[in-house]
Amino acid sequence: GAVVSQHPSWVICKSGTSVKIECRSLDFQATTMFWYRQFPKQSLMLMATSNEGSKATYEQGVEKDKFLINHASLTLSTLTVTSAHPEDSSFYICSASSRGAGYGYTFGSGTRLTVV
Amino acid sequence: GQQLNQSPQSMFIQEGEDVSMNCTSSSIFNTWLWYKQDPGEGPVLLIALYKAGELTSNGRLTAQFGITRKDSFLNISASIPSDVGIYFCAGQRETSGSRLTFGEGTQLTVNP
């Protein structure tokens, strides 16, 4: 159990376009989902936390108008990178947590975004 | 900052050797988690610790939640080539709700 599916696994887009990344909990209801960004050879940096049905809470320094997060259901959260620029190229990873289920924090397989 | 102090940063060992890595912090944690990340993949949970002093095993892996709640270690016994990867500790701080703080990672290389 505790499977999180993230899609797409990689995407290449042109500067100025927007990209949407989906994160789904397949076999449990995720009360909270998290979005991380990871640069090569570095650790995961939390971007934002989202609870189903409420606005996401962004970490300091993360532009909420650039990284739009929607958590409309207990099994789906989306991250949209708006007006992407080359410096947004990175590895984006979501994770999901279910209160009381003892699943810890299960991660998706990540999305490699390259902006050209 | 957001990160835990994880050491060592990298390890190069021979197959069959035991490995130990740890994470420390000045903050108190309610939960400690250990993950392994392969290139191009998301982290995979290895062991979760929820109680101070707790010692938990998962096959050749053993992890402990420090009694002070400010540290944790992970041991891997009899390493094999597929243990290669980056190992991260992560903790849920007492004062940060459900958010996780990550260590910098330990890059493990196992020579056959």
Side-chain angles (χ1 to χ4, degrees):
Chain A
V3 178
V4 174
S5 173
Q6 188 172 340
H7 179 80
S9 55
W10 61 270
V11 58
I12 301 173
C13 71
K14 291 185 176 180
S15 282
T17 62
S18 295
V19 173
K20 181 184 284 188
I21 302 170
E22 291 189 350
C23 181
R24 293 180 185 273
S25 58
L26 298 185
D27 50 1
F28 67 101
Q29 293 185 326
T31 48
T32 308
M33 287 191 172
F34 307 85
W35 288 94
Y36 295 83
R37 186 172 181 177
Q38 186 179 32
F39 291 107
K41 299 190 184 300
Q42 293 189 21
S43 187
L44 285 74
M45 297 300 293
L46 181 65
M47 299 174 66
T49 302
S50 72
N51 293 299
E52 183 262 341
S54 60
K55 288 185 179 180
T57 301
Y58 290 80
E59 295 298 302
Q60 192 172 8
V62 178
E63 300 175 60
K64 60 181 181 181
D65 294 330
K66 180 165 189 62
F67 298 100
L68 300 179
I69 291 172
N70 184 281
H71 192 165
S73 77
L74 283 171
T75 59
L76 174 65
S77 176
T78 60
L79 167 67
T80 302
V81 183
T82 63
S83 187
H85 288 98
E87 57 265 31
D88 297 326
S89 299
S90 188
F91 193 54
Y92 293 87
I93 315 173
C94 69
S95 78
S97 173
S98 178
R99 192 189 306 272
Y103 292 131
Y105 296 76
T106 304
F107 283 81
S109 54
T111 297
R112 171 72 59 194
L113 171 63
T114 303
V115 185
V116 298
Chain B
Q2 219 187 131
Q3 293 184 332
L4 296 166
N5 299 313
Q6 184 171 349
S7 65
Q9 279 190 323
S10 61
M11 300 183 75
F12 297 83
I13 63 171
Q14 292 297 125
E15 184 176 359
E17 289 183 354
D18 297 343
V19 171
S20 185
M21 58 193 79
N22 69 83
C23 278
T24 62
S25 174
S26 57
S27 303
I28 290 176
F29 285 78
N30 290 330
T31 301
W32 284 96
L33 306 166
W34 285 93
Y35 289 90
K36 178 175 183 266
Q37 186 179 29
D38 291 325
E41 298 288 332
V44 174
L45 182 65
L46 300 174
I47 293 180
L49 303 160
Y50 299 104
K51 188 177 175 183
E54 181 180 355
L55 182 70
T56 297
S57 293
N58 178 8
R60 294 179 294 107
L61 279 61
T62 302
Q64 183 159 32
F65 191 141
I67 197 72
T68 65
R69 297 169 64 193
K70 296 181 179 181
D71 63 323
S72 176
F73 72 76
L74 173 71
N75 288 341
I76 305 173
S77 62
S79 59
I80 58 178
S82 61
D83 290 335
V84 166
I86 304 178
Y87 292 80
F88 289 101
C89 65
Q92 180 190 357
R93 276 195 288 215
E94 190 175 52
T95 56
S96 62
S98 57
R99 292 153 66 235
L100 287 183
T101 301
F102 274 81
E104 300 97 329
T106 296
Q107 171 71 61
L108 177 63
T109 301
V110 180
N111 297 312

